[in-house]
Amino acid sequence: MRRDAGKGEMGMRKVSRIQEVRSFLREASGRSIGLVPTMGYLHEGHLSLLRRSRKENDVTAVSLFVNPTQFGPGEDLEAYPRDLERDLALLEREGADLVFAPRPEELYFPDASTWVEETRLASGLCGASRPGHFRGVCTVVLKLFQIVGPTRAYFGEKDYQQLQVIRRMTRDLNVPTEVVGCPLVREPDGLALSSRNTYLSPEERASALRLSRCIALAREAARGGQRDARSLRETARRHLEEDPRIRVDYLELVHPETLEPLETLDGEGRLILAAWVGKTRLLDNGTLCPEAGR
Ligand SMILES: Nc1ncnc2c1ncn2[C@@H]1O[C@H](COP(=O)(O)OP(=O)(O)OP(=O)(O)O)[C@@H](O)[C@H]1O
Ligand SMILES: CC(C)(CO)[C@@H](O)C(=O)[O-]
Ligand code: BAL
């Protein structure tokens, strides 16, 4: 890489080997590196992280890796949508400097016996429904941090619990990377962008709008003075359960950092949920504030 490379000026480099990442980035020494970890099948949510990284760093690396260790038995590892050619074209257009798309054998030794586990924030919500999920996420994210050595790493608030778990893991293990949380990007009608939206039939797509709508209803109730967490949760849950295509996995009002369930909305709270729409499990979340007008 030339000394003045970065910000996509030199064209994008696509690699699949750890050594290639290391030799590319060795030449970036002294410059800031932003990392955007993804599982591919990119959409505007991912691209918002990439754009933020390009603004804040000299060099931006994106990983494309459907990480097997965060999927449980019976989950959609095989079916997970993939389109490498399309992803590469988008990344090139957006000015990524480096794309790391390894095969599972490149990242995991067949006899790997070391795992990274955050034990508090990861235990409830998605962690309760998907045992082992965050262990797989933390392990692969720490591995990516070790490979890339990013100054900053970008994660979306769409996966709100994941963001908090990674923040904690990074703090607890003294990883010298700043974890940057980025706002949830929605379709114009409110649906949170997600690679898994591609699984939805048109009818399910219409039902899925209830996820963002139920958060808006709870937010209106909070603005109207409702502080009781049970009542706010019930407002949201009722809206989801009116639709027979939806099955709520969990729906909680939690403290935005500790993810502890709230009884009363005294300060800011996060309404956070996972729900099955047909056979597709989707996430959504949003802020609730007691003050009127926020
Ligand atoms: N709508 C979104 N807004 C902001 N960030 C997002 C959005 N969707 C995904 N991201 C972020 O992009 C990163 C990579 O996510 P991932 O590749 O799993 O995509 P995804 O759309 O969340 O897929 P899935 O369908 O598996 O949930 C994560 O940090 C995730 O939070
Ligand atoms: C952070 C991540 C890339 C780790 O595989 C994944 O969980 C995701 O895409 O959110
Ligand atoms: N962004 C979420 C990754 C997963 O569901 O495994």
Side-chain angles (χ1 to χ4, degrees):
M1 190 168 50
R2 251 179 30 206
R3 185 90 211 121
D4 56 348
K7 306 246 183 210
E9 288 119 355
M10 290 292 290
M12 184 179 86
R13 181 86 192 277
K14 188 238 159 189
V15 303
S16 56
R17 309 298 299 265
I18 293 168
Q19 280 315 329
E20 293 174 295
V21 177
R22 293 217 160 109
S23 61
F24 182 89
L25 292 174
R26 203 169 294 126
E27 296 176 38
S29 101
R31 280 177 282 177
S32 57
I33 301 170
L35 171 66
V36 181
T38 81
M39 301 209 305
Y41 211 70
L42 303 178
H43 50 63
E44 281 293 316
H46 301 110
L47 299 183
S48 72
L49 310 189
L50 166 61
R51 290 177 194 135
R52 173 98 178 253
S53 172
R54 287 198 71 225
K55 262 198 206 114
E56 297 179 353
N57 301 282
D58 300 321
V59 176
T60 289
V62 178
S63 61
L64 302 172
F65 182 62
V66 183
N67 173 36
T69 66
Q70 68 190 71
F71 287 78
E75 291 189 342
D76 60 344
L77 172 62
E78 298 306 326
Y80 196 83
R82 291 160 170 91
D83 190 341
L84 182 61
E85 291 313 310
R86 184 177 156 276
D87 287 349
L88 292 174
L90 281 172
L91 292 172
E92 181 132 45
R93 190 193 74 195
E94 293 288 333
D97 297 294
L98 179 68
V99 180
F100 178 44
R103 299 164 70 86
E105 311 83 81
E106 179 69 8
L107 273 194
Y108 288 105
F109 291 94
D111 61 346
S113 50
T114 306
W115 297 98
V116 183
E117 200 161 6
E118 192 287 329
T119 55
R120 186 165 305 206
L121 304 180
S123 63
L125 308 171
C126 282
S129 309
R130 303 182 68 187
H133 169 64
F134 286 118
R135 185 177 87 151
V137 169
C138 284
T139 302
V140 81
V141 168
L142 188 63
K143 284 163 78 69
L144 291 168
F145 284 2
Q146 299 280 51
I147 293 164
V148 174
T151 316
R152 301 182 186 85
Y154 295 80
F155 297 91
E157 287 191 351
K158 202 268 286 168
D159 300 273
Y160 190 81
Q161 183 180 17
Q162 169 173 281
L163 169 63
Q164 299 308 329
V165 167
I166 291 170
R167 275 193 204 292
R168 178 64 62 94
M169 184 247 324
T170 306
R171 185 203 73 174
D172 286 352
L173 298 182
N174 307 99
V175 181
T177 294
E178 181 190 342
V179 173
V180 182
C182 302
L184 198 167
V185 179
R186 298 180 180 280
E187 299 277 12
D189 62 8
L191 181 67
L193 291 181
S194 165
S195 305
R196 288 187 173 99
N197 291 349
T198 184
Y199 297 149
L200 301 170
S201 69
E203 296 75 19
E204 290 168 344
R205 169 75 179 64
S207 293
L209 290 181
R210 285 181 180 261
L211 272 64
S212 54
R213 181 72 191 133
C214 85
I215 298 170
L217 289 171
R219 186 174 292 135
E220 280 165 31
R223 282 178 179 158
Q226 181 57 260
R227 301 282 157 88
D228 178 52
R230 185 204 298 257
S231 166
L232 292 165
R233 286 197 314 264
E234 280 315 306
T235 298
R237 183 179 275 273
R238 219 175 302 119
H239 185 67
L240 293 177
E241 290 180 344
E242 273 166 19
D243 188 323
R245 286 200 186 89
I246 298 182
R247 186 166 55 81
V248 178
D249 178 5
Y250 65 77
L251 186 154
E252 294 287 348
L253 181 59
V254 298
H255 184 281
E257 281 160 24
T258 66
L259 305 181
E260 292 292 334
L262 298 177
E263 285 184 12
T264 311
L265 188 68
D266 294 322
E268 189 181 305
R270 267 278 156 171
L271 192 70
I272 184 164
L273 66 94
W276 292 91
V277 182
K279 291 197 164 76
T280 306
R281 184 173 174 279
L282 298 177
L283 306 182
D284 208 337
N285 68 87
T287 300
L288 303 194
C289 291
E291 300 95 310
R294 287 188 62 187

